């Protein structure tokens, strides 16, 4: 059973839908918060690399771990989530439309999240929550920190519910048609996000908030960590999938090609839904109290989630090659010549794709069970996610910004801004190569992550590490220049670029592409398999953790300077 | 759904490589016993001395046999307690002969810590309520830094000691 | 519907993707080499 694709394609009057001014304001609000976060978080990053170089001390009694907490929360949780929701809303608005009521509910999501963000950020800024963005118990932050985080998560759920409703309404109006590819992808990502963030929501609402308020005397540390990482790994796929949306369904349009395979793109997203969540133990490989056999089972499941990324890599290269050959560029690699290297909408995400090659390779190493002991909690890990999230994902998001922001503000991407964007991309690439490269090597030498400058009593190893920390300071400074440039570009695109109409690029399928099988839209089945995999991977070890629990831990606030 | 023949080839070799990694890891973990640290013995964090190994006189390095040692450690914010020397000073440096087998046992009475002898495979999380434990052969000589690699508070980066492995 | 599939296999043979195969092959090599490099480090330590 397949959908009669060709007929639909012929009278394809539904794509793309116009975005009204009121909708555009909503989408832009999310993106404003994202860019404010980028600047604040980036500034914190700059301060960190300078402190770690050993030649700079923070003024006014500001603590290293205070700025590290702010850096992590504001970039990893706030920037990403706000940008993703803004972008995904725009994709939904463009492909399936948004009603006035849906828009109002979405504003509720925005304000709940923004108030939560402000609460959490303020608590960190006054120095009451230097617990880092993972907030591991039994370190105790001020309750406002946890309440703010809970609001961010709950707000994002509201956004997810609206997205599902948008697709549901569209499907009712278009019986028998497959949902637009981008709407399908957004829906998958929000299902994954919802199922995953239940874990952290339970930890925060049931464990952390009562315990930090004094209603519960102790907390079960291992349970809280297990719930956190049940959420923590799909979190990184929640960042990555919007980048994949752009790679699969937007980049082909920018390079003048077609979607390589609509069904394979959908299949890879379904696989991400299945295998992103039941894998959290690979962040807990060196922890006591978890059965090593179950750790290994989750390692196997982690390796399964590599497969859709292998599919994506093939699809990307194939899109480039097919498009190039159609334009008449032959030879084994002649097709590389046709790619629009001078178009920043392509160049930035492309560099992001390249960064995912070492990023992905490093990820497989991290998840390799006993081998994790080589890299666990070393600065290699920091180097790793600065390639994946801070290069692959963020450069793709920048690539999206260049056309999405002017599209929403009724302006255009000028040649001048395009050139600035290309410079920005190079600055980022150079800065990150230096910083992340130095972090990877220093990590293999054993240097820890999440640590302020220390000479470790003048040890030889610490002296050896010093050179790499100096390199990170140089790379980090270059990256901060890149951030400043990007914020300038954002302001320019939002307020000053010439008025006009910027294209919202959405790629189409080949006219003779094979039909997408109907079974790919079997949402109930996908959710059922996802839940079954989670129950398989977690039930026995989780019951085991609870049954063999040690006495709980009281809150500790003096180690973070509160008492 | 249609797969290009090259994509089939690519996915098969990719999955093959992943399977090879898993076979190597699984062989090491299940046959040679090199699982990552997963010790399941619990302890009351408020009363760690209930366990004999963590009574003050048993902390630090103990030789149990030729080339066999035990190192018992209490990790607190922001210190590793490795016992005291003859003069009553806190031990901050332990010396182990190369090639010896060492059992590390670590607990914490307060928050989560890391226990990493930088540049070796001794890398464990230390969590309140559990004994973290692993046995390793010290294969390489040199001076290594034992350090906390999980954030434990404002003095986290000042939490270290040295481990000397001599020929 | 069948028409789509027939159309595909009839008028349009598989596109040449040699460059793609080599590109992903290089990507695969990066993964395999870096994995074994860190594995060697793990074994030697």
């Amino acid at each position: 059973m397949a959908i009669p694709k060709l007929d639909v394609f012929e009278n394809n009057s539904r794509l793309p839908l116009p975005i009204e001014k009121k909708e555009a304001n909503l989408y832009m609000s999310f993106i404003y918060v994202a860019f404010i976060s980028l600047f604040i978080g980036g500034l914190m990053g700059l301060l960190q690399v300078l402190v770690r170089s050993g030649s700079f001390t923070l003024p006014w009694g500001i603590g290293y771990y205070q700025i590290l907490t702010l850096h992590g929360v504001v970039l990893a949780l706030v920037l990403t989530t706000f940008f993703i929701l803004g972008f995904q809303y725009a994709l939904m608005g463009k492909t399936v439309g948004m009603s006035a009521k849906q828009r109002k509910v979405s504003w509720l999501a925005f304000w709940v999240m923004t108030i939560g963000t402000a609460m959490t950020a303020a608590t960190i800024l006054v120095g009451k929550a230097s617990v880092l963005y993972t907030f591991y118990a039994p370190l105790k932050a001020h309750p406002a920190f946890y309440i703010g985080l809970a609001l961010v998560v709950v707000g994002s759920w509201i956004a997810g519910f609206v997205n599902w409703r948008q697709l549901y309404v569209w499907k009712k109006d278009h019986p028998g048609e497959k949902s637009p590819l981008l709407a399908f992808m957004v829906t998958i990502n929000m299902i994954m996000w919802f199922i995953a963030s239940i874990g952290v929501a339970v930890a925060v609402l049931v464990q952390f908030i009562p315990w930090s308020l004094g209603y519960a005397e102790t907390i079960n540390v291992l349970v809280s960590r297990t719930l956190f990482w049940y959420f923590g790994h799909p979190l990184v796929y929640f960042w990555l999938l919007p980048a994949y949306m752009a790679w699969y369904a937007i980049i082909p349009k920018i390079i003048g090609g077609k979607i390589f395979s609509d069904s394979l793109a959908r299949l890879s997203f379904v696989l991400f839904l299945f295998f992103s969540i039941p894998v959290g133990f690979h962040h807990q490989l060196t922890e006591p109290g978890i059965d090593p056999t179950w750790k290994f089972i989750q390692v196997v499941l982690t390796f399964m989630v590599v497969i859709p990324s292998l599919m994506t890599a093939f699809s990307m290269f194939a899109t480039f090659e097919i498009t190039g050959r159609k334009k008449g560029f032959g030879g084994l690699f002649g097709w590389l010549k046709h790619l629009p290297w001078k178009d920043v909408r392509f160049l930035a995400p492309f560099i992001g794709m390249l960064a995912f090659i070492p990023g992905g390779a490093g990820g497989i190493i991290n998840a390799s069970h006993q081998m994790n002991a080589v890299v666990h909690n070393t600065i290699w890990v920091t180097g790793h996610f600065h390639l994946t999230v801070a290069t692959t994902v963020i450069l793709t998001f920048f690539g999206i910004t260049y056309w999405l922001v002017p599209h929403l503000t009724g302006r255009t991407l000028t040649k001048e801004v395009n050139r600035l964007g290309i410079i920005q991309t190079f600055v980022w690439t150079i800065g990150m190569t230096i910083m992340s490269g130095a972090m990877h090597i220093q990590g293999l030498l054993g240097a820890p992550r999440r640590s302020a400058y220390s000479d470790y009593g003048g040890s030889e190893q610490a002296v050896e590490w010093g050179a790499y920390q100096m390199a990170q300071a140089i790379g980090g400074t270059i990256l901060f220049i890149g951030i400043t440039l990007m914020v300038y570009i954002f302001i320019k695109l939002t307020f000053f670029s010439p008025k006009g109409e910027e294209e919202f690029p959405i790629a189409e399928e080949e006219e003779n592409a094979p039909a997408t099988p109907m079974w790919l839209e079997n949402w109930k089945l996908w959710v059922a398999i996802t839940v079954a995999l989670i129950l398989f991977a977690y039930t026995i070890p989780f019951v085991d953790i609870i049954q063999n629990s040690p006495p709980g831990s009281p809150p500790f606030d003096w180690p973070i300077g509160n008492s | 759904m249609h797969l290009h023949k090259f994509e089939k080839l690519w996915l098969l070799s990719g999955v093959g490589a992943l399977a090879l990694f898993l076979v190597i890891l699984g062989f090491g973990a299940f046959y040679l016993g090199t699982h990552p640290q997963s010790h399941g013995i619990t302890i009351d964090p408020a009363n760690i001395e209930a366990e004999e190994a963590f009574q003050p006189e048993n902390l630090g390095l103990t030789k149990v046999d030729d080339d066999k040692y035990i190192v018992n450690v209490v990790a607190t914010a922001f210190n590793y307690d490795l016992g005291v020397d003859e003069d009553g000073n806190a031990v901050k440096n332990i010396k182990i002969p190369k090639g010896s087998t060492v059992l590390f046992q670590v607990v914490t009475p307060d928050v989560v810590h890391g226990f990493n002898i930088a540049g070796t495979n001794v890398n464990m999380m230390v969590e309140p309520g559990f004994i973290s434990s692993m046995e390793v052969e010290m294969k390489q000589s040199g001076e290594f830094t034992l350090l906390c690699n999980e954030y434990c508070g404002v003095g986290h980066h000042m939490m270290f000691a040295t481990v000397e492995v001599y020929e | 519907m069948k028409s789509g599939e027939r159309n595909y296999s009839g008028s349009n043979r598989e596109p040449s993707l040699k460059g793609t195969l080599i590109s992903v092959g290089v990507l695969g090599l990066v993964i395999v080499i870096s994995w074994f490099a860190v594995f060697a480090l793990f074994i030697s330590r």
Side-chain angles (χ1 to χ4, degrees), chain A residues 268-337:
Chain A
S268 79
F269 268 63
V270 172
L271 292 175
F272 277 118
L273 174 63
F274 291 168
F275 295 111
S276 291
I277 309 174
V279 297
F281 280 172
H282 77 236
H283 290 257
Q284 301 179 281
L285 288 171
T286 68
E287 285 188 40
I290 302 172
D291 186 279
T293 302
W294 283 101
K295 286 180 180 173
F296 191 81
I297 289 170
Q298 292 210 6
V299 165
V300 175
L301 290 166
T302 307
F303 278 39
M304 300 291 285
V305 82
V306 178
I307 296 168
S309 278
L310 297 179
M311 289 167 61
T312 306
F314 191 92
S315 290
M316 291 310 112
F317 285 118
T319 309
F320 300 152
E321 183 166 4
I322 291 171
T323 311
R325 289 193 188 280
K326 259 193 205 151
K327 289 183 183 171
F329 292 84
L332 208 48
F333 288 106
W335 44 274
L336 281 169
K337 282 187 217 140

Side-chain angles (χ1 to χ4, degrees), chain A residues 425-438:
Chain A
T425 309
F426 278 113
V427 169
W428 200 270
T429 309
I430 294 163
M432 195 56 86
T433 306
I434 297 172
M435 190 180 86
S436 175

Side-chain angles (χ1 to χ4, degrees), chain A residues 2-3 5 178-179 181 184-185 188 248 259-271 308 311 315 509-510 512-521 526, chain B residues 1-3 7, chain C residues 5 8:
Chain A
I3 306 158
K5 205 201 106 294
K178 67 174 178 186
S179 43
L181 179 59
F184 177 94
M185 291 169 155
I188 290 262
Y248 271 114
I259 291 173
F260 172 63
S261 166
D262 179 88
S263 4
L264 284 176
R266 287 173 203 248
L267 180 66
S268 79
F269 268 63
V270 172
L271 292 175
M311 289 167 61
S315 290
E509 291 181 70
E510 298 277 3
N512 57 358
T516 303
M518 196 63 163
W519 54 262
L520 277 166
E521 296 246 8
W526 300 155
Chain B
M1 200 171 312
H2 178 79
L3 275 183
E7 181 156 19
Chain C
E5 281 170 34
Y8 186 84

Side-chain angles (χ1 to χ4, degrees), chain A residues 351-380:
Chain A
I351 303 272
M353 293 176 195
L354 289 187
F356 207 55
I357 298 173
I364 297 173
I365 290 165
N366 295 341
S368 290
H369 205 54
Q370 64 271 44
M371 242 166 90
N372 180 253
V374 177
V375 294
H376 179 73
N377 271 355
T378 68
I379 200 156
W380 155 288

Side-chain angles (χ1 to χ4, degrees), chain A residues 65 130-132 136-139 221-222 225 260 263-264 267 285-293 295-296 299-300 303 306-307 310-311 313-315 364 368-378 445-446 448-454 456-457 459-461 465 514 517 519-520 548-553 556 558-561, chain B residues 1-4 6-8 10-11 14-15 18-19 21-30 34-40 42-45 77-78 109-112 114 116-132 134 143-160 162:
Chain A
Y65 299 105
S130 302
V131 290
L132 309 192
Y136 291 144
L139 287 176
V221 172
L222 189 54
R225 295 173 62 87
F260 172 63
S263 4
L264 284 176
L267 180 66
L285 288 171
T286 68
E287 285 188 40
I290 302 172
D291 186 279
T293 302
K295 286 180 180 173
F296 191 81
V299 165
V300 175
F303 278 39
V306 178
I307 296 168
L310 297 179
M311 289 167 61
F314 191 92
S315 290
I364 297 173
S368 290
H369 205 54
Q370 64 271 44
M371 242 166 90
N372 180 253
V374 177
V375 294
H376 179 73
N377 271 355
T378 68
L445 296 172
R449 66 187 281 206
R450 307 185 133 181
S451 297
Y453 178 75
S454 173
Y456 293 101
S459 82
E460 277 173 45
Q461 283 180 308
W465 298 339
W519 54 262
L520 277 166
N548 296 303
S549 283
S553 287
F556 284 85
W558 63 264
I560 62 160
Chain B
M1 200 171 312
H2 178 79
L3 275 183
H4 190 282
F6 285 171
E7 181 156 19
K8 280 182 199 151
W10 160 240
L11 289 179
V15 171
L18 293 173
F21 297 164
L22 286 173
V23 168
I24 293 171
L25 296 172
F27 176 78
F30 291 95
T34 59
H35 275 298
Q37 194 274 132
S38 304
H39 205 58
T42 59
I43 189 171
D44 182 353
F78 308 101
D110 49 41
V111 297
V112 174
N116 182 207
I117 302 177
T120 75
N121 291 338
V122 180
N123 192 352
M124 334 186 248
M125 298 294 294
V126 182
E127 295 175 16
F130 292 96
I131 299 173
S132 291
M134 75 186 289
E143 194 188 286
F144 297 96
T145 311
L146 161 63
L147 52 81
C148 179
N149 67 0
E150 183 55 89
Y151 173 66
C152 58
V154 289
H156 161 59
H157 53 291
M158 303 311 288
M159 186 169 168
F160 58 84
T162 47

Side-chain angles (χ1 to χ4, degrees), chain A residues 2 321 325 368 370 444 512, chain C residues 1 12 16 19-20 35 42 45:
Chain A
E321 183 166 4
R325 289 193 188 280
S368 290
Q370 64 271 44
L444 289 178
N512 57 358
Chain C
M1 210 171 249
N12 205 3
S16 168
T20 302
W35 192 87
F42 172 73
R45 282 180 169 179

